[in-house]
Amino acid sequence: MSDNRPTAPQYVTLTTPGGYRMHATITLDWEQGAALYRLAELKGTITVGWQSGHYHHDCCDEDAMEITYGKPERSPFSHQFEDAPTVFGVQLADRANFHAEAMKPTSHWWLGVRRDNGGTYAPEAPEGTRRRTAAIVYTITRHMLSRPWSAELRRAHDQEHAPARHRHHQEAIRELEREAAALQEKLSRERGRAAAQAALIGARSTLASVTPLADPVDRHQLLAA
């Protein structure tokens, strides 16, 4: 294993901008390209990674991040995850996407925070839980992106999704080739029609260049002569 891809757990102490202190055990998932922060104070895990779907949407300059409240699964349909954290007595659920440059240490509106109610739908968490969770996610995301292994973790994320993205590009190429063939046919047809009109214009110009016959001599003029 490369030195850029450490496998041993890492132990850190983190403090939110508001002074909340956390003890985290970081495990790096090199298959999915994500960092699992197991937070002792929350008795659960918050996973930081990148949103795979953002690749197909050229909406923003920066990549979208993805938070999983618990240990991540490959299925995009999961909403409750193993080892989900608890914040102010509320067990969290689901995922959340955001852009790192949009994070604010004094606001929680940039982050979706949902709670586990035991059903298939995870409703929004209470205000206090959302504020504290946003501060925690802000802190661990900044920490993850500052690590020397962050770029390699992103590479692992890209490698994980490369087969699906390659298929996406192949489908897009085939569709574009069909569109290009149809446009080429239209272009050829328009060029043919333009050439036909150009020929008519040329013929008209030739007729216009012939010298016209002189007007007939007026009969009164002949008598006067």
Side-chain angles (χ1 to χ4, degrees):
M1 180 65 67
S2 168
D3 292 339
N4 294 328
R5 292 193 172 190
T7 57
Q10 303 171 42
Y11 305 96
V12 297
T13 299
L14 303 173
T15 305
T16 69
Y20 181 68
R21 192 177 177 87
M22 304 173 292
H23 297 84
T25 301
I26 307 172
T27 304
L28 303 179
D29 185 337
W30 292 109
E31 289 188 4
Q32 299 191 59
L36 285 70
Y37 282 70
R38 216 292 172 170
L39 303 165
E41 288 74 14
L42 307 186
K43 297 181 175 60
T45 298
I46 295 180
T47 302
V48 189
W50 289 267
Q51 182 192 12
S52 61
H54 177 270
Y55 177 84
H56 303 305
H57 304 285
D58 299 326
C59 67
C60 314
D61 293 334
E62 300 296 331
D63 294 327
M65 308 298 297
E66 181 172 273
I67 291 291
T68 302
Y69 297 115
K71 295 182 178 180
E73 297 178 8
R74 294 182 182 277
S75 172
F77 305 106
S78 299
H79 298 285
Q80 281 79 27
F81 300 97
E82 179 187 351
D83 201 37
T86 300
V87 179
F88 287 154
V90 177
Q91 186 173 16
L92 305 185
D94 217 336
R95 299 180 174 95
N97 300 316
F98 60 92
H99 287 83
E101 70 274 15
M103 295 191 305
K104 296 184 182 300
T106 57
S107 171
H108 64 280
W109 299 109
W110 52 271
L111 180 69
V113 184
R114 297 189 174 275
R115 61 183 177 87
D116 185 0
N117 68 348
T120 57
Y121 171 73
E124 196 172 77
E127 180 81 5
T129 299
R130 291 164 60 197
R131 288 186 179 277
R132 172 58 62 83
T133 303
I136 293 170
V137 170
Y138 172 89
T139 302
I140 65 177
T141 300
R142 284 174 57 89
H143 179 267
M144 188 272 280
L145 292 175
S146 70
R147 297 300 89 195
W149 39 258
S150 179
E152 189 65 17
L153 196 67
R154 171 56 195 272
R155 177 176 172 80
H157 166 87
D158 289 338
Q159 289 174 332
E160 162 72 11
H161 296 284
R165 291 172 177 175
H166 184 253
R167 289 192 298 271
H168 169 81
H169 287 304
Q170 287 180 315
E171 292 171 1
I173 289 169
R174 285 192 290 269
E175 179 62 27
L176 288 171
E177 286 176 342
R178 286 192 291 268
E179 293 178 7
L183 288 173
Q184 184 61 48
E185 183 180 350
K186 289 181 179 180
L187 179 60
S188 298
R189 186 163 58 248
E190 292 302 323
R191 283 176 173 167
R193 290 171 175 173
Q197 298 307 311
L200 292 175
I201 293 171
R204 179 180 179 181
S205 299
T206 301
L207 291 173
S209 65
V210 175
T211 304
L213 297 175
D215 292 333
V217 178
D218 187 84
R219 188 174 66 171
H220 297 290
Q221 291 179 339
L222 292 174
L223 294 174

